[in-house]
Each structure stands twice: as structure tokens, then as C-alpha cells.
Amino acid sequence: MILLVSWAPVGLKPLPLTLAILCVALGVVIFSTGLLSFDPDPRTWDTATERLTELVVIIALMGAGLKLDRPVGWRRWASTWRLLAVAMPLTIVAVAWLGVAGLGFSLAMALLLGAAMAPTDPVLAADVQVGPPLSGDEDEVRFGLTSEAGLNDALAFPFVHLAILAAAGGLASTGGLTDWLAVDVGWRLATGVGVGVLCGLGFARLIFREGGTRFGDGLVALAATLMAYAAAELVHGYGFLAVFVCALTIRAGERDHQFHQEMHDFSDQIERLLMMLLLVLFGGALANGLLASLTWIDALVGLAVVFVIRPVAGMIAMIGSGQPMRERLLLSFLGIRGVGSVYYVAWGLNHGDFGDSERLWAVVGFIVLVSILVHGITAAPLLRRLARRREAGAD
């Protein structure tokens, strides 16, 4: 499988397939034949699911932050702020409404579904993200999706906490909502940013001290990831946010240094290995009946999340942006759902009392599967076509 991860990206380039699709298919085959005797159902392995998805997401966030060439700025990141401030809340509200009205979920479970479906996944969205540091492969669509994936994985967390509050009956209490705003929104977000900046400044000083003398090798990226995440969690901040901000701060410390490439490459290799493992296990869960409780209504709601809610929310967010229509369409359509969604569902269910979660897992599994297949097949051709049109326009 490690050889597969190493060789597949090259072999799959001419084909409308991705490594993610290949890994899921491999998992279905392996577990369908009975070669492995255990059932990798996330409902059984709830803690393992949470921890494994947590690890791969934070490593992906470090890689995403390191490869962004564009400095942080209000205008330079305009598409990112639009997707975060408009598309993400609209997605949460729309999915939660469908959860209540269409699926018959409780408000708490519907909110958890909405929060889990809001973020663009930093792991499975690798094929639509910008290229490695200093590669120049950073058009507006790839930049918008990369930066959005880096930040909205943390910004969905307050709504997971809101779902847990709803499950505990705290929405009827003014004190509960006040605590949620003060702690889960204010403190945790501010602390995540602060810890990320401090860790990033510290690592940048170590790495690029003495006018650019290198300290360490690519393994430093993993150290920075784990230390930023742990430090933020210790002070009850959002570790996802701290990791991404740490990566951006390290990159800003010496923006054109070649060492960023080495750190990114190491993070990318670890990320792909963990992603392969997760997706093979996901394929195994599908083979062993993860979608057994899925109904036609559930499937229709899942398709609406992928084909209607995110694209419409994205297009609303891009109103007045001045970007060409084809770029707006791609930014809106290529909001891939994946490992981050699984993490949020696992985390929410492990920390709150939502009752029977079998249908919730089936809906989430279906949406992730559809996203892997649809976006995996269409993303590369669509982005290549956009690049050709941009080159033709430049000529």
C-alpha cells in the first residue's frame, strides 16, 4: 500500500481517478473478501476514529499553511473571507434545516450534521489546492479552496459545541448561550490564533536564525504541528486553528526560503500515508454495512448537500467579488467533504448525548463517498480546462 501511495499519483494523472477513489475501492475489495477479520465501523471504533482523523487533519493543515505563497491580507484573501463569513454559515443553517425537516433529526443532531458538512476538507481537497511552496501554482480557485480548508476546519468547531449544548438542553438557557459565545466562540478562537502565532514565531526563529541558517530537517514540520496543537488544547483553544496559523507564521518568517519545500514534502508524505489508511478503512466500513440504514430520503438530502447547498452558498458568497463566473462556479462546486466531516461527527458523538447515531453515520458516509467520487472525477479536468482558458486569454 505504501508503494501504491508512492506510485499511484503518477499513474493516475491521465485518468479521471484519484488516490482517494483507489483507496476506497481497495478497502471495499479487501474487506469484502474477508482477508481482514475485523469490522472498521466508526460506530464501533468511535475513539480510534476520532484520534486517527484528528491526526491526519492537523498534518494536512500544516501542509496547507506552508504551501500558501500569498501573504495574509484583507484584500489578498478576499475570496477566503467570503467563503468563511457567508458560505459556511449558510451551509450550516441549510444542512441543519434539512436535517430537521427532511431527515427528522433532533435539532441537536441536525446542528452536528450541519457543522460536520460545512468545512472543505484539507485532506481530500489536496488535488484542488495550490502547489508546493514557491511553485507558482496558485490561481484564485486553488488559493481560495486551500485557504478556506485551512481555516474553516477550526471555525466549524463552535457549531459542534452548539450542537452539544442543544443535546444537553442548554439552548433554552441564556447562561448556556452566553457561555458558548464567550468560551467556545471568543476564547477558543482567540487562543487558537494566539498560540499559533507564538509557536510559529518560535519555530521561525529556530529554523531561520543567523540570517537563514537552517535548523533541523523536514521532520520539524511534524514537531511544529504537534506542539502547536498540544499547546492550544492545553489552554482550551482550537488546535486546528493554531496549527494552520502556526504554518502561516513560519512561512511568513522567511517567505522565499527553500526549507519550506522540505517541510511541506515531509508533511505531504505523512498525510498521504494516513489518508490511505483512513480511506481503506472507510472502504471496509462501506463493505461491512455502514450505509445499511440509508433511506432514499437520506440519499436525496446527501445529494442536495453536495450538488445544491454548498454550490448555492458559495455562489451567494461570491456575489460582488469581481471574479470571472467560471472561477466562482469552481470555488462553489469544489467544496470537498471528507476526513474533517468524519472527525467532527466522531468528536461530537463522543462528547455529547445525541442518542442513536446509526442514520447520522450513514448520511455522513454517503455524503463523503459521493464527494470523493464526484469531486475526484471532475476536479482535475475542470481545473485543467480553467488553466487552458486563462492561458488562452493571456495570449
Side-chain angles (χ1 to χ4, degrees):
M1 289 186 180
I2 294 174
L3 284 174
L4 178 67
V5 170
S6 177
W7 291 342
V10 177
L12 292 175
K13 277 187 178 180
L15 303 174
L17 296 174
T18 62
L19 180 60
I21 295 175
L22 195 61
C23 288
V24 172
L26 188 61
V28 171
V29 171
I30 290 174
F31 284 88
S32 296
T33 57
L35 290 174
L36 297 177
S37 59
F38 75 98
D39 181 3
D41 193 319
R43 295 166 295 186
T44 303
W45 303 91
D46 49 1
T47 302
T49 299
E50 178 189 335
R51 293 307 181 195
L52 193 54
T53 52
E54 180 180 40
L55 179 60
V56 69
V57 167
I58 61 175
I59 291 174
L61 289 173
M62 175 58 67
L66 288 173
K67 62 187 176 184
L68 285 172
D69 292 338
R70 192 179 305 186
V72 178
W74 181 250
R75 291 185 177 180
R76 289 189 290 261
W77 284 47
S79 59
T80 311
W81 309 136
R82 286 173 173 271
L83 290 171
L84 295 175
V86 180
M88 185 176 175
L90 286 177
T91 300
I92 293 173
V93 171
V95 174
W97 179 81
L98 276 181
V100 173
L103 302 177
F105 285 173
S106 66
L107 177 60
M109 188 169 285
L111 278 172
L112 180 59
L113 177 63
M117 289 299 111
T120 295
D121 190 57
V123 182
L124 299 183
D127 291 329
V128 301
Q129 292 182 358
V130 300
L134 306 176
S135 66
D137 188 11
E138 193 172 284
D139 59 64
E140 194 60 38
V141 174
R142 290 184 181 274
F143 171 80
L145 293 171
T146 306
S147 54
E148 180 204 11
L151 287 170
N152 66 7
D153 257 304
L155 297 182
F157 234 129
F159 299 96
V160 177
H161 284 287
L162 186 64
I164 293 174
L165 182 65
L171 290 184
S173 166
T174 304
L177 287 174
T178 301
D179 289 344
W180 174 75
L181 284 171
V183 178
D184 297 324
V185 178
W187 171 261
R188 294 183 189 274
L189 287 174
T191 307
V193 173
V195 170
V197 170
L198 290 175
C199 287
L201 289 173
F203 272 96
R205 184 174 180 83
L206 285 174
I207 296 167
F208 305 116
R209 64 179 183 177
E210 303 295 336
T213 301
R214 194 176 73 187
F215 178 82
D217 54 24
L219 193 61
V220 170
L222 183 58
T225 301
L226 298 177
M227 291 180 71
Y229 187 78
E233 293 292 320
L234 282 172
V235 294
H236 305 290
Y238 289 130
F240 285 180
L241 184 59
V243 170
F244 186 68
V245 171
C246 175
L248 293 177
T249 307
I250 292 174
R251 185 67 200 274
E254 191 77 30
R255 186 163 298 278
D256 297 329
H257 201 288
Q258 291 298 321
F259 187 56
H260 294 300
Q261 174 77 50
E262 190 170 339
M263 288 192 294
H264 167 267
D265 290 348
F266 184 85
S267 293
D268 182 63
Q269 289 173 341
I270 300 298
E271 176 192 339
R272 281 190 290 142
L273 285 172
L274 291 173
M275 180 195 74
M276 172 210 69
L277 174 61
L278 278 173
L279 293 180
V280 170
L281 293 174
F282 177 62
L286 294 175
N288 284 301
L290 180 64
L291 305 185
S293 61
L294 193 76
T295 67
W296 284 108
I297 296 297
D298 299 344
L300 289 175
V301 168
L303 293 174
V305 171
V306 176
F307 291 104
V308 180
I309 292 178
R310 160 64 192 207
V312 171
M315 289 300 292
I316 292 174
M318 289 295 113
I319 292 175
S321 66
Q323 293 178 261
M325 180 57 68
R326 55 181 172 268
E327 291 188 359
R328 299 188 200 183
L329 288 170
L330 287 180
L331 276 168
S332 303
F333 175 66
L334 294 176
I336 299 174
R337 273 52 185 152
V339 176
S341 298
V342 175
Y343 168 76
Y344 277 125
V345 171
W347 193 94
L349 293 175
N350 287 339
H351 291 79
D353 185 11
F354 292 88
D356 184 20
S357 61
E358 186 171 345
R359 276 187 68 209
L360 175 63
W361 273 117
V363 173
V364 171
F366 178 76
I367 293 172
V368 171
L369 177 62
V370 170
S371 183
I372 288 173
L373 294 175
V374 172
H375 293 128
I377 292 172
T378 61
L382 288 173
L383 290 172
R384 282 198 295 266
R385 185 177 181 183
L386 178 66
R388 287 197 297 267
R389 287 192 174 186
R390 189 180 293 108
E391 290 172 2
D395 292 341

